[in-house]
Amino acid sequence: MHLWRYKLSLRGYRAMILQHMIFCLLLIHRGQPLIVVPLRAVMATVGEEVVLPCHIKPEMDANGMRLEWARPDLTPGFVYEWADQKEHVVNKQPSYRGRTSVVKEKLEHGDISLKISNVTISDEGIYRCLVPQVGQEAFIKLIVGAVSFPTVTVISKTSSRVVLQCESAGWYPEPELLWLDGEGNLLSAGPTETLRGPDDLYTVSSRVTVEKRHSNNITCRVQQRNTNQSRETHRHVPVPSWYLKLVLVPGLLAVLVSVLLTIHRWRLR
């Protein structure tokens, strides 16, 4: 299963996971130790810390073993090496220096999980967990996302309507932008403009024109379906005084007429 030298597509990754599951079942039947990783991809956010789980089953002390974490698509591909009870950095990929580690206290329990700090977009990919002494390797996919809260500003307004603009910068992968009214219904808005910066992060913006009405609470929502992340900002559009008069005055008149009729009937008794 020495596939780490080749760049793996998502389809290839799924096929490889299926092969690994079959291989693990055979090993379980033979009573041999396993390298176990989650079947699902691990999600991470830019700037945060993430752990890629990897364990030896049944539990055994990995402190004195050689451990290798690598990326199939990088040269050099090693992101972490452990041997002789210490880390080796000679063959380490430069972009990971100072950012990857294992928890030494957990090695004796067979926990060889990789911790990556200050996650970047370029960290996204497929990782190989290998223990040569056990004679096995396993692969795990890391998906990286970046999110930010949108800002809503007033571009122009008249006595009856207002034009709002929503903008949100620092997203990855590319998100979608939605406008919603106070009841959660989608509003018809202008096209979403998308820009991709030199840091590979996306900025999205859009404008919407809304009529000034009662309970006009407008929401701008930016969401990324692949990472199941969303952020939103609410903006209240004030009701114009003429609209209040239009709505309230007839109501007050109706109440006044009802009161007068009641008093008139009472006097006739």
Side-chain angles (χ1 to χ4, degrees):
M1 293 180 66
H2 295 288
L3 303 176
W4 66 278
R5 295 181 180 179
Y6 304 97
K7 187 173 182 179
L8 302 175
S9 64
L10 181 58
R11 181 178 298 178
Y13 173 71
R14 290 172 178 169
M16 182 183 60
I17 288 297
L18 180 59
Q19 293 174 1
H20 182 67
M21 290 176 63
I22 296 173
F23 182 66
C24 287
L25 290 175
L26 292 174
L27 290 177
I28 291 173
H29 179 71
R30 296 174 184 174
Q32 296 182 17
L34 302 175
I35 302 298
V36 180
V37 297
L39 297 181
R40 292 185 178 182
V42 175
M43 311 291 292
T45 302
V46 169
E48 296 184 354
E49 184 180 277
V50 66
V51 173
L52 302 183
C54 188
H55 297 78
I56 303 175
K57 297 293 183 178
E59 182 181 303
M60 62 176 59
D61 190 352
N63 215 338
M65 297 181 180
R66 178 178 179 83
L67 315 174
E68 297 178 2
W69 277 93
R71 280 274 299 273
D73 56 336
L74 298 180
T75 304
F78 291 108
V79 299
Y80 188 83
E81 288 183 272
W82 175 270
D84 303 321
Q85 298 187 348
K86 63 180 180 180
E87 180 186 4
H88 291 244
V89 297
V90 176
N91 300 317
K92 190 171 187 176
Q93 166 62 227
S95 63
Y96 286 88
R97 288 185 177 175
R99 297 196 301 119
T100 54
S101 62
V102 295
V103 180
K104 299 176 183 179
E105 293 76 16
K106 294 184 178 181
L107 291 179
E108 60 183 272
H109 302 292
D111 185 345
I112 54 178
S113 304
L114 179 71
K115 181 168 66 175
I116 306 175
S117 59
N118 193 23
V119 171
T120 67
I121 292 176
S122 60
D123 291 339
E124 182 171 284
I126 296 173
Y127 291 74
R128 180 196 67 161
C129 177
L130 170 66
V131 183
Q133 187 172 331
V134 176
Q136 279 194 64
E137 58 189 5
F139 294 83
I140 183 170
K141 185 176 179 63
L142 174 64
I143 298 176
V144 178
V147 300
S148 69
F149 279 94
T151 58
V152 178
T153 55
V154 177
I155 301 301
S156 64
K157 58 183 177 179
T158 65
S159 59
S160 60
R161 64 183 60 183
V162 61
V163 178
L164 301 175
Q165 175 171 292
C166 178
E167 181 174 298
S168 188
W171 281 82
Y172 185 87
E174 181 179 350
E176 61 178 337
L177 189 153
L178 306 173
W179 288 98
L180 308 171
D181 63 15
E183 284 72 43
N185 302 311
L186 284 174
L187 294 173
S188 177
T192 300
E193 296 183 3
T194 304
L195 297 175
R196 190 172 187 176
D199 55 0
D200 287 332
L201 297 180
Y202 290 91
T203 297
V204 290
S205 62
S206 175
R207 293 185 179 184
V208 67
T209 301
V210 295
E211 302 291 332
K212 293 181 178 180
R213 293 291 185 269
H214 184 57
S215 298
N216 223 352
N217 293 308
I218 307 301
T219 298
C220 174
R221 177 183 297 164
V222 182
Q223 60 187 28
Q224 212 299 316
R225 297 186 184 275
N226 291 343
T227 60
N228 198 30
Q229 294 280 349
S230 68
R231 297 291 186 273
E232 60 185 37
T233 298
H234 308 280
R235 184 69 182 244
H236 176 71
V237 178
V239 180
S241 58
W242 64 264
Y243 184 77
L244 289 175
K245 293 178 181 178
L246 185 65
V247 174
L248 296 178
V249 170
L252 291 174
L253 289 176
V255 172
L256 181 60
V257 169
S258 177
V259 171
L260 292 175
L261 287 175
T262 301
I263 294 174
H264 178 69
R265 289 168 185 167
W266 180 77
R267 287 180 177 178
L268 290 177
R269 291 180 181 179

